[in-house]
Amino acid sequence: MSPNQPRTREPILNLPAAITLCLLALVGIHAARLLLSEETDFTLIIDWAVIPARWSVAFGEFRPRRS
């Protein structure tokens, strides 16, 4: 490299922009969850989490036994 050429900088994360944005979103969500009380965090997870058992009941794949 000659002294007249400016040095080029390498990116910190050599990832596609979509992956970087997803990573930042997940870190942001986790940081926001740390600010919540334990009860509020639990309620948030129960209300918004993907729980496969809910889908089984909602779409009729699961039939509880009747005694």
Side-chain angles (χ1 to χ4, degrees), residues 14-52:
N14 194 14
L15 298 171
I19 302 298
T20 304
L21 289 174
C22 287
L23 180 65
L24 290 174
L26 288 173
V27 169
I29 290 168
H30 182 69
R33 283 187 58 209
L34 290 174
L35 299 174
L36 299 175
S37 69
E38 189 172 326
E39 182 180 341
T40 305
D41 182 50
F42 180 75
T43 303
L44 180 75
I45 294 300
I46 293 298
D47 289 345
W48 290 96
V50 175
I51 301 174

